[in-house]
Amino acid sequence: MKELERILIKIFIIIAGVMFMGLTLTSFFISYINTDLRDEHVYRINDNLILNVVAIAIIFTGMVFAKTKLEHVKNKININVLAILLSFTSIGLSILWVLGSGTEVQADQWKICQAAADFNKGNYQWLEKGEYVAECPHQLGIITLIRIIFFVFGEWNYLPFQILSCISVGLIIYFIYRFALEITDNWTVSFIALLLAFLCLPLYFYTPFVYGELLSIALSLIVLFLYARLMKAYRHSDLVTLLTMTTMMLLVRKNTIIILVAILGVSFVKLITNHRKRNIAIILAVVMGILLKSVFISALYDSHIPEDATEIPSSLYVAMGTNNNDNHSGWFNGLHHAIFEANEFDPVPSSEQGKQIVSEFLKLCVQHPVGGAKFYFRKIATQWSAPMYQCIVMNNNVTGNQSALARFIYFDDKAWKLMDGYMNIYQLLLYISITVALFIMWNRNKKLELYTGLIAVYGGFLFSIIWEAKTRYVFPYMLIMIPYMAYGIYLLTNKIDGLVKAHLSRKGR
């Protein structure tokens, strides 16, 4: 049965390798960036191929030299203390950014805050037929969290939520390091992952965003870390924590179910191949965590939801993901709301109409394969080759006084060019490193659970092709990739170092 695991690993390396090779090649030649603070859409720019190649060559050359130096001093560095220090530093930097950004909530952020405030007053009209929360009940988890914050700190005081996002930044950085260490057992890889996480700009710029992004990412990384640790050694405390974090993660953001699907898939394969009881325990804990989330929300809100209240069918989000308005392939255009409202909020005809739109679009793609290929290339590239991940424009409702740094970052074109350029190289390094890691791991006898994070990323990639498109939606997967990025850098620098030493040895002879 071990052969099954090896075959599945080979298959995954092939399909993931194709994905990352495609993303690498795309990122060498083009990027998608925001060009206007008031426009959330990203627009294509042609990258300087020579500059990208030279930058990557310089970075890897520097890393080879740094790796040699690091090997000499690593015994003097307490990496866990360093991780804690960098995590607290990141929290401090994030708080400064929140206080200096001068932004307020808008759009969906405003709606969930208003719903939370109204619910606390006993007004549940947002759950009535045709209202926002009735149509989007996946928001009930984050609304509940905001209700608690408003109850404790005062109505419409969402600053504590933003501070919680700042704390989430510290947790993300720390658990990227811990997850990297857990899956590789390598000090150098975890050190690289820690630095890369700390140097990720969008992580800080998303902190004013009153939504579930950063908190759900932190919880997701804790879940992945706990799963990796449980696969090494079973602990009751880790299992209970996994169950709890699973429930919390889903409450904050429903789409994190993709990560749980990856965990369940790997666990089922491991159960088939080695029959260990821990796999059954993990599967049960994850399933219970999923069910507890539903039970919790039902207990709080079922009595307040009218019988005729209905949610938007998922097929309408998929249908919206086929629109090509102004060449923004699959991006938000309000189609799902329009169809649902036109059908008087009846999910049955709405769902059928959504399926019909998707069916007709796919037929059109078959009839015009070149046009279909261009559409999906744009849809993928606008999400996966946009290195700043919309982190500035998602917080573009500037109403208060800003710090000098915030004004520079928000309103100076030079700042946008510097950040886009920096994160473009960062993203290119990310994709190159993971592609290299996958190829090198082809002949290495690694366990399937090592790939769990990447399997979740691949699931997110497939989801981004099907669903409504938005760069922000893929940002969580970028952070999950950082430990694998670090592993790829480590493997590649080792290869380069070995080749250089072999060459010098031959010359010496």
Side-chain angles (χ1 to χ4, degrees), residues 431-493:
Y431 292 148
I432 291 172
S433 303
I434 296 176
T435 304
V436 168
L438 288 168
F439 277 109
I440 293 176
M441 286 192 290
W442 177 265
N443 291 318
R444 298 196 176 192
N445 189 23
K446 297 293 183 182
K447 295 179 179 180
L448 183 60
E449 52 265 36
L450 168 67
Y451 300 88
T452 307
L454 282 183
I455 293 170
V457 170
Y458 189 75
F461 178 76
L462 295 179
F463 186 76
S464 72
I465 295 173
I466 298 167
W467 208 251
E468 169 206 353
K470 187 168 286 189
T471 314
R472 171 170 64 84
Y473 296 161
V474 307
F475 181 53
Y477 304 111
M478 180 265 194
L479 294 169
I480 291 171
M481 283 188 268
I482 289 177
Y484 299 94
M485 175 189 185
Y487 190 43
I489 290 170
Y490 173 78
L491 293 174
L492 186 55
T493 51

Side-chain angles (χ1 to χ4, degrees), residues 338-356:
I339 291 175
F340 198 47
E341 186 175 349
N343 285 297
E344 297 180 337
F345 312 108
D346 188 336
V348 177
S350 298
S351 180
E352 289 304 314
Q353 193 171 341
K355 291 174 184 176
Q356 185 180 354

Side-chain angles (χ1 to χ4, degrees), residues 293-307:
K293 177 259 181 182
S294 299
V295 169
F296 179 74
I297 293 297
S298 294
L300 282 177
Y301 297 106
D302 275 3
S303 61
H304 302 290
I305 300 175
E307 289 185 6

Side-chain angles (χ1 to χ4, degrees), residues 28 51-64 432 496:
F28 262 117
L51 185 62
N52 281 346
V53 171
V54 170
I56 292 298
I58 290 171
I59 289 169
F60 274 111
T61 301
M63 285 180 174
V64 170
I432 291 172
I496 295 170

Side-chain angles (χ1 to χ4, degrees), residues 116 119-120 122-124 127 133 137 139-148 247 251 291-306:
F119 287 0
N120 279 354
N123 178 3
Y124 290 91
L127 294 170
V133 183
Q139 302 284 30
L140 283 169
I142 194 71
I143 287 171
T144 303
L145 175 58
I146 294 172
R147 287 183 68 182
I148 295 168
T247 302
L251 283 169
L291 294 175
L292 276 174
K293 177 259 181 182
S294 299
V295 169
F296 179 74
I297 293 297
S298 294
L300 282 177
Y301 297 106
D302 275 3
S303 61
H304 302 290
I305 300 175

Side-chain angles (χ1 to χ4, degrees), residues 112-372:
I112 61 174
C113 286
Q114 187 61 59
D118 288 343
F119 287 0
N120 279 354
K121 295 175 184 175
N123 178 3
Y124 290 91
Q125 70 178 49
W126 289 88
L127 294 170
E128 293 175 3
K129 182 179 180 179
E131 295 293 335
Y132 174 74
V133 183
E135 292 185 353
C136 307
H138 59 273
Q139 302 284 30
L140 283 169
I142 194 71
I143 287 171
T144 303
L145 175 58
I146 294 172
R147 287 183 68 182
I148 295 168
I149 289 171
F150 285 1
F151 179 79
V152 175
F153 297 100
E155 185 177 314
W156 272 94
N157 182 8
Y158 49 77
L159 178 61
F161 184 96
Q162 294 172 319
I163 300 301
L164 182 60
S165 293
C166 296
I167 294 169
S168 297
V169 170
L171 290 172
I172 287 167
I173 290 170
Y174 182 74
F175 280 99
I176 283 175
Y177 145 68
R178 290 298 302 272
F179 182 48
L181 185 60
E182 204 65 41
I183 61 176
T184 65
D185 289 316
N186 188 296
W187 187 96
T188 306
V189 172
S190 61
F191 179 82
I192 295 169
L194 176 62
L195 291 185
L196 289 170
F198 184 74
L199 295 172
C200 180
L201 292 182
L203 193 52
Y204 301 94
F205 294 142
Y206 260 116
T207 48
F209 196 54
V210 183
Y211 222 53
E213 254 70 8
L214 294 178
L215 180 57
S216 67
I217 296 168
L219 294 169
S220 299
L221 285 162
I222 294 171
V223 165
L224 285 168
F225 160 71
L226 288 168
Y227 178 65
R229 197 156 83 156
L230 279 164
M231 292 303 287
K232 282 184 177 180
Y234 178 82
R235 299 177 184 86
H236 287 301
S237 58
D238 282 350
L239 190 71
V240 173
T241 309
L242 176 67
L243 188 156
T244 306
M245 293 297 111
T246 295
T247 302
M248 291 175 64
M249 181 176 80
L250 289 171
L251 283 169
V252 175
R253 194 170 182 83
K254 185 180 178 181
N255 284 353
T256 54
I257 191 79
I258 292 170
I259 295 165
L260 300 179
V261 170
I263 289 173
L264 289 172
V266 172
S267 297
F268 274 118
V269 173
K270 298 297 289 189
L271 180 61
I272 293 168
T273 56
N274 63 27
H275 308 291
R276 288 188 176 177
K277 292 179 180 178
R278 78 174 65 164
N279 294 307
I280 297 174
I282 290 169
I283 291 168
L284 290 174
V286 170
V287 171
M288 284 180 65
I290 295 169
L291 294 175
L292 276 174
K293 177 259 181 182
S294 299
V295 169
F296 179 74
I297 293 297
S298 294
L300 282 177
Y301 297 106
D302 275 3
S303 61
H304 302 290
I305 300 175
E307 289 185 6
D308 63 345
T310 51
E311 67 177 291
I312 297 175
S314 58
S315 63
L316 290 183
Y317 290 96
V318 179
M320 183 165 59
T322 65
N323 89 83
N324 199 33
N325 291 8
D326 299 321
N327 276 340
H328 299 304
S329 302
W331 281 62
F332 178 89
N333 68 348
L335 177 70
H336 57 325
H337 285 294
I339 291 175
F340 198 47
E341 186 175 349
N343 285 297
E344 297 180 337
F345 312 108
D346 188 336
V348 177
S350 298
S351 180
E352 289 304 314
Q353 193 171 341
K355 291 174 184 176
Q356 185 180 354
I357 291 170
V358 173
S359 176
E360 289 174 357
F361 175 78
L362 293 176
K363 288 176 183 176
L364 192 64
C365 288
V366 171
Q367 293 168 3
H368 304 280
V370 174

